[in-house]
Amino acid sequence: MQIARMVNVRNGSDRITGTRFRGMRRLMASGLAALLLAVSLSSAAIAQNAPLVLQRHGRTISLEPYAPNILRVTISIDRTAATAAPGYGFVAKPSEQGWSYTRDVTGEEIFRSAKMIVRVGPAELAKDQVPQRMPLDVLNNQLREKYFGGPHKEGPHDDALQVTTADGKTLLHMRTWTMAPERPDVAHADAGATGYRVAATFDSPANEHYYGLGQQQKGWMDLRDHEIRCWHDYGAVGGENVCVPFMVSSLGYGLVWDNPSKTTIDLGFNGQNVWSSEVGDRISYFIIAGDNTDEIYTGYRLLTGATHMLPRTVYGYIQSKAIYPTQAQVLAVANEYKKKHLPLGVMVVDFLNMTEQGNLDLDPARWPDPAAMNRQLHAMGVDTLLSVWPHFSKGTLFYDMLASKGWLVHTPDGKPDSGWYKAVIGPNIDTTNPAAAKWFWEKIRDRYIKPYGFDYLWLDETEPDVDPAKDVFWIGSGTRFYNVYPLFHTASVYEGFRRDFGDSRRVFILARAAYLGAQRNGTVFWSSDIVSTWDMLKRSIPAGLNFTATGLPYWDTDIAGFFSPVIPADYHAAHKPLVDGSDVRGTIGNYEDYPELFVRWFEWGVFQPIMRAHGERNHNEIWSYGKQAEPILAKYLKLRYQLLPYTYSVAYRSYQTGAPYMRALFMDFPSDPKVADIPDEYMYGSAFLVAPVTEQGATHRTVYLPAGCDWYNYWTNQRLHGGQTIDVEAPIDTLPLFVKAGSIVPLGPDDGSAGQTQKIVSVKVYPGADGHFALFQDDGKTYRYERGNYSLTKLTWSDAAHRLTHEGAPAWRGPDASVVTVIGSSASGP
């Protein structure tokens, strides 16, 4: 029998609800005294999918497990809100397996599993345990009471909650929480719903460091001592902010904040972390414990969904500019790559391709035969990515229908909102409405994909770019649901693809903003319309590392930036440019060091999860930046394709675990305190340490090699000890790149055959430690891998035996000696 009634255990002031202990019938038969003794002194298993719910003087605390290392905490003055399901973005179901409940003699509630122990402090603390300010004299208190005193029902409430590992190491300690009335302007915008400003305060130990929380382009790596404005803001200083409210701590936990309104996170100030959301009806967050960061990401994957494999072609190179305005230009660029024997994976048809914004067509004057264009590109092994904006301008083909149905983002009085845009652009479609989302996908399917053969979709403006703060979505006010549009908008296309094409074709969506769970929509996110400067290159690296640390592995940049800065007529580079661009003034104008910037950014782009060139320039292909730049760019483009077997395999691991393969150093070297705040180095998979050059004119840079292993210079094979900072030569054609000892790196051809059957040309082994690598291969185009239709080759290096072995599917033909190279070095580092 399952018992859901409330049991009074503290004179009515503190009640346990819905714990549904197994064996409750027997306890009840023994009388109330026996029940109280059992609750206070023994451990009880929790019945199926039942949260532990505590009632305290009108406050409700709910603890709901999802896995032995995942617990949801929900707190509210509204019991219904506290016990309701999580918000948007979550797909997991609660699971109590392995959890038990105890109350100790002090009144502390203890919820435990093999991975976590959660303690909720007593409802009424002893006087000497209540947090107090330093004392003031009686008269001071009396004077203050007149102006600042009175009841404070909104808090802060001292329902302290502490989370530790099973062996007692503290992970997280929540001290207080509040629910205060909304600000008047927020309440006005959120009309029709009762809402509060909600906040929770946690301890911030001095040795704790923080990562993730979406995209902040201000140059930060460690987010400690920063205020994070977690909401989508296209115009943020440094580049667009994107809110994904998931943070990873160096202490071994992740915190997922379940609130889509504008949220501010203050990290480390005065020894505290404060999470505060503009509107809500509860505090709701998930704690994910992990012995390592990948275990935390596996928990995030469970909660919000898997990062699916992309089409194999997409892991190669994507060529774009803003814009190729005609079919003839797209074909000319692709043909030039073929003529030059340079690999190319995807050509992009950017925005402003319609007759009018919202007609969902292609201007026939510029695109006379898109189907023929795609056939020609496909014959060259090149796929296409088509930009489809979500805007519908008044007077266009579908506007009246969309407006009449309320399918456009609109103000509370029902008027479609075009925001700051000109009327020829128009408001966004409201894809939070399932009927509008289905219609949007079906129009894309029937007007672009089926008749013309476009492969992939670029869903730009996914913030939405029309600020929703004073608008209304189908799901509710834009104030309350400020950050969720990217999740719904990308889902409209992903789910449509899967519904109509099944497993037969993989989805690739390029999107400018994200939210919890958006990684499950076949989506690559990019750093938005950033400025083409050296400063932006430097800021972009930690921005990308924190974004992927948020649990969304696929992120990239417009290589060398989108917007050109305004270049003064008398401009000169700070140092003599390392690339002479005098032969391409028609592309660079008087931005004389731009070819150098493009080369350095392109070198870094090889080691981004997805490699894509884009930007507002006359020309943007690798031959566009001068005779000195072209051979360097060709070298790195071919390197991207040589690395495809490696990249594709580490991407499969991201699918399995949810962990990124563009990895900030804290993930792989948690015992090395020196890596906590390095913003311009990272791991690409388990093997490569990447250290981009971000200073104009630089031909050297310092690199810190993390402790605990040896490293090899990729270009020279010199072996170096970890735990030291070295000065590395970095001429313009050299990206500082190191390989961790014990790594196994499979390489393929450099001819651009990304969409074809994988071929292994070489396997490089870097001795100095035992190593393992799982080489993944499948058809590269379908979702059949989800059903086990793939092959794995497990490569194992025994350092003691100095031998590479492999098992599973054959990965290459001929003897191992013809493929495997064990790297040696006659010179050692200090």
Side-chain angles (χ1 to χ4, degrees), residues 327 362 367-378 450-454:
Q327 174 177 324
L362 292 173
W367 309 93
D369 195 345
M373 177 190 73
N374 281 317
R375 286 195 298 269
Q376 292 178 60
L377 291 169
H378 292 159
K450 285 187 175 181
Y452 297 147
F454 284 100

Side-chain angles (χ1 to χ4, degrees), residues 7-324:
V7 182
N8 294 330
V9 296
R10 187 171 291 192
N11 298 324
S13 65
D14 188 3
R15 297 177 293 178
I16 303 174
T17 309
T19 51
R20 303 179 184 178
F21 302 128
R22 295 189 179 99
M24 186 70 83
R25 182 197 298 267
R26 184 174 62 255
L27 289 171
M28 291 183 70
S30 301
L32 180 60
L35 171 60
L36 294 177
L37 182 63
V39 169
S40 59
L41 299 178
S42 69
S43 177
I46 305 302
Q48 184 175 9
N49 296 340
L52 173 65
V53 179
L54 308 174
Q55 293 290 129
R56 295 182 163 185
H57 296 295
R59 310 186 306 275
T60 302
I61 304 171
S62 173
L63 306 180
E64 187 172 40
Y66 279 68
N69 69 324
I70 304 175
L71 184 74
R72 181 183 176 217
V73 178
T74 316
I75 313 172
S76 182
I77 58 176
D78 180 342
R79 186 183 186 281
T80 300
T83 55
Y88 293 113
F90 300 96
V91 296
K93 301 296 183 185
S95 172
E96 87 297 341
Q97 185 173 356
W99 285 85
S100 61
Y101 164 76
T102 313
R103 163 177 281 179
D104 69 13
V105 292
T106 69
E108 190 173 59
E109 320 286 349
I110 304 173
F111 207 28
R112 71 175 69 227
S113 72
K115 301 290 291 187
M116 302 166 67
I117 301 174
V118 182
R119 292 179 168 85
V120 182
E124 296 179 7
L125 295 174
K127 187 175 181 180
D128 61 352
Q129 294 179 321
V130 175
Q132 300 282 350
R133 300 183 187 275
M134 290 187 291
L136 284 172
D137 60 79
V138 173
L139 182 56
N140 252 299
N141 281 324
Q142 289 174 346
L143 292 170
R144 283 165 168 74
E145 180 66 21
K146 176 180 178 181
Y147 295 99
F148 309 115
H152 296 285
K153 294 182 180 180
E154 68 269 17
H157 302 294
D158 295 321
D159 295 305
L161 180 145
Q162 185 179 36
V163 182
T164 70
T165 61
D167 59 5
K169 172 191 169 186
T170 297
L171 298 177
L172 187 72
H173 196 169
M174 187 190 78
R175 292 287 183 175
T176 62
W177 62 277
T178 61
M179 287 182 69
E182 295 172 324
R183 297 194 321 264
D185 59 317
V186 174
H188 177 75
D190 194 37
T194 301
Y196 304 85
R197 287 185 294 116
V198 296
T201 301
F202 304 86
D203 286 352
S204 180
N207 65 335
E208 188 173 16
H209 308 279
Y210 310 105
Y211 310 94
L213 293 176
Q215 180 173 273
Q216 303 279 320
Q217 305 199 68
K218 297 173 179 64
W220 307 332
M221 186 64 249
D222 181 4
L223 299 180
R224 186 182 182 88
D225 299 328
H226 293 292
E227 178 190 71
I228 308 302
R229 296 186 174 189
C230 200
W231 60 86
H232 307 319
D233 183 0
Y234 177 82
V237 174
E240 179 172 9
N241 287 353
V242 173
C243 179
V244 185
F246 169 40
M247 181 188 79
V248 176
S249 163
S250 62
L251 295 186
Y253 70 88
L255 191 153
V256 186
W257 185 257
D258 175 22
N259 187 306
S261 73
K262 287 186 175 181
T263 297
T264 302
I265 307 114
D266 296 324
L267 296 172
F269 296 97
N270 301 312
Q272 295 180 329
N273 296 333
V274 180
W275 294 67
S276 176
S277 291
E278 198 169 72
V279 56
D281 54 10
R282 64 191 179 187
I283 307 293
S284 177
Y285 60 89
F286 291 81
I287 308 155
I288 309 171
D291 294 334
N292 52 61
T293 54
D294 283 12
E295 189 174 349
I296 295 170
Y297 291 118
T298 299
Y300 177 78
R301 180 188 191 274
L302 173 70
L303 288 176
T304 64
T307 301
H308 302 288
M309 294 291 289
L310 301 172
R312 193 170 186 269
T313 303
V314 171
Y315 295 97
Y317 176 63
I318 302 173
Q319 177 63 60
S320 180
K321 78 161 189 165
I323 57 177
Y324 294 121

Side-chain angles (χ1 to χ4, degrees), residues 472-608:
V472 176
F473 294 127
W474 181 79
I475 56 173
S477 76
T479 298
R480 183 175 289 258
F481 296 105
Y482 195 92
N483 290 315
V484 299
Y485 186 85
L487 172 66
F488 283 90
H489 196 61
T490 56
S492 70
V493 167
Y494 173 78
E495 292 172 1
F497 257 110
R498 295 301 299 260
R499 186 169 58 244
D500 291 343
F501 294 103
D503 291 347
S504 66
R505 59 187 297 176
R506 287 185 202 168
V507 181
F508 161 42
I509 296 168
L510 184 62
R512 199 169 69 186
Y515 188 65
L516 298 168
Q519 78 283 347
R520 66 178 181 259
N521 292 335
T523 309
V524 174
F525 307 95
W526 98 97
S527 56
S528 187
D529 301 336
I530 52 178
V531 180
S532 300
T533 64
W534 290 94
D535 180 62
M536 198 64 243
L537 169 60
K538 186 181 299 185
R539 295 176 188 276
S540 293
I541 299 169
L545 294 177
N546 271 309
F547 187 91
T548 59
T550 308
L552 289 81
Y554 292 125
W555 175 93
D556 75 355
T557 61
D558 295 343
I559 286 177
F562 181 78
F563 290 123
S564 170
V566 177
I567 309 298
D570 60 351
Y571 173 80
H572 289 288
H575 307 279
K576 181 181 179 181
L578 299 180
V579 178
D580 179 8
S582 60
D583 55 338
V584 287
R585 291 295 184 190
T587 297
I588 67 171
N590 66 330
Y591 196 169
E592 63 176 3
D593 52 320
Y594 188 74
E596 180 186 347
L597 175 63
F598 192 92
V599 167
R600 289 302 195 190
W601 208 312
F602 194 92
E603 291 171 351
W604 172 43
V606 173
F607 294 93
Q608 292 176 26

